Amino acid sequence: MDIIVEKLFKTADHETREGHYEKAIEMYEKVIEICREDTPPVHLAHWGIGEIHLNNRRYEKARYHLSRALELEPNEPIYHYLLGCTFRYIDEIASAIYHLQRAVELDDSKDIYWCELGWVVGFNQDLERGIGYLRKALRINPLNSKALTDLSILYAKDEKFGEALVCIEEVLKHDPDDIQIAEIQERLQFFKSEFERLSGLSDSQETQETS
């Protein structure tokens, strides 16, 4: 990588961290223009542009640039992961699952890959399999708050409110001031008590019917 291109990447990285996204995109576009036939800088530049668009909810532009990066480097797991996230946000679930599965096939050591796959699969397709993927994310990183939160929601969806509350309480241990998580805990406590109350009524009715 020549010195001009290296400087453009450094400038793009700095502008991104400063929140000057359009300036960063301009730097990456210059890299693409200069390095048309030089694959590594080009796919890295598309990655940079794609991730900026993804983080700013410009999903169609994110899809274009991340797809271009993947065409140039098809075995890069981060590109599959980011494309999977993009497809989830535009509700193309089959494509999201495909790319997230490719990400974990290529690198099974990243808890964020397993976490995203677990949520998408569990919420949209197979609850038990999704829970299994989220547990794998937590085996890699027990402090992954997103995995714990997503797992609690899937447990609640499966009417396992006790397990759901254990996960949320673990998140609150590490971030007790998180209002959103505290609200989830409150709702889970309500649903658990209602579920137990209704289960008790059902058991009582069955006892009366058999007596």
Side-chain angles (χ1 to χ4, degrees):
M1 189 182 298
D2 70 37
I3 193 165
I4 296 173
V5 172
E6 188 175 342
K7 186 175 180 181
L8 286 169
F9 273 117
K10 286 181 179 178
T11 303
D13 182 60
H14 171 76
E15 298 293 359
T16 301
R17 284 187 279 106
E18 292 294 313
H20 304 151
Y21 302 120
E22 298 310 315
K23 288 182 180 178
I25 288 171
E26 186 180 332
M27 297 300 105
Y28 286 128
E29 286 175 341
K30 286 182 179 177
V31 171
I32 294 168
E33 185 180 347
I34 293 169
C35 304
R36 294 182 184 183
E37 304 301 323
D38 194 353
T39 300
V42 173
H43 74 73
L44 291 172
H46 279 295
W47 172 19
I49 297 172
E51 193 161 14
I52 288 171
H53 286 312
L54 176 58
N55 291 334
N56 286 278
R57 302 181 181 182
R58 304 169 190 156
Y59 300 126
E60 288 303 325
K61 289 182 177 180
R63 173 160 66 171
Y64 170 78
H65 286 284
L66 292 169
S67 295
R68 289 289 295 120
L70 193 62
E71 285 171 14
L72 296 167
E73 190 59 53
N75 291 321
E76 175 50 61
I78 190 68
Y79 299 165
H80 284 286
Y81 166 72
L82 292 171
L83 261 177
C85 294
T86 303
F87 281 119
R88 174 168 84 88
Y89 290 130
I90 60 177
D91 207 30
E92 293 189 21
I93 300 304
S95 295
I97 290 172
Y98 168 78
H99 284 289
L100 293 169
Q101 285 177 329
R102 284 293 294 136
V104 298
E105 286 166 7
L106 291 163
D107 183 358
D108 64 0
S109 70
K110 297 289 192 297
D111 59 304
I112 59 169
Y113 298 173
W114 288 107
C115 179
E116 189 70 16
L117 178 62
W119 174 253
V120 176
V121 169
F123 193 80
N124 295 283
Q125 192 179 83
D126 185 325
L127 192 61
E128 286 303 316
R129 195 152 55 96
I131 287 171
Y133 292 150
L134 285 164
R135 284 175 174 163
K136 181 143 192 172
L138 288 166
R139 285 197 293 273
I140 296 168
N141 178 11
L143 302 180
N144 186 324
S145 294
K146 184 180 184 303
L148 284 164
T149 304
D150 289 349
L151 185 57
S152 75
I153 294 169
L154 293 187
Y155 275 138
K157 191 177 179 184
D158 200 26
E159 297 182 343
K160 295 177 180 177
F161 298 107
E163 290 93 330
L165 279 166
V166 168
C167 294
I168 284 298
E169 286 161 5
E170 192 64 29
V171 177
L172 286 171
K173 282 182 188 177
H174 303 291
D175 193 359
D177 299 322
D178 191 319
I179 296 171
Q180 187 177 11
I181 298 299
E183 288 174 352
I184 293 173
Q185 181 189 40
E186 189 175 329
R187 288 198 295 272
L188 286 172
Q189 287 169 338
F190 171 77
F191 289 132
K192 182 175 183 288
S193 64
E194 283 297 289
F195 182 75
E196 289 171 348
R197 183 180 69 81
L198 292 171
S199 296
L201 286 174
S202 177
D203 291 342
S204 176
Q205 287 174 351
E206 287 179 9
T207 301
Q208 289 175 5
E209 288 171 1
T210 55
S211 62

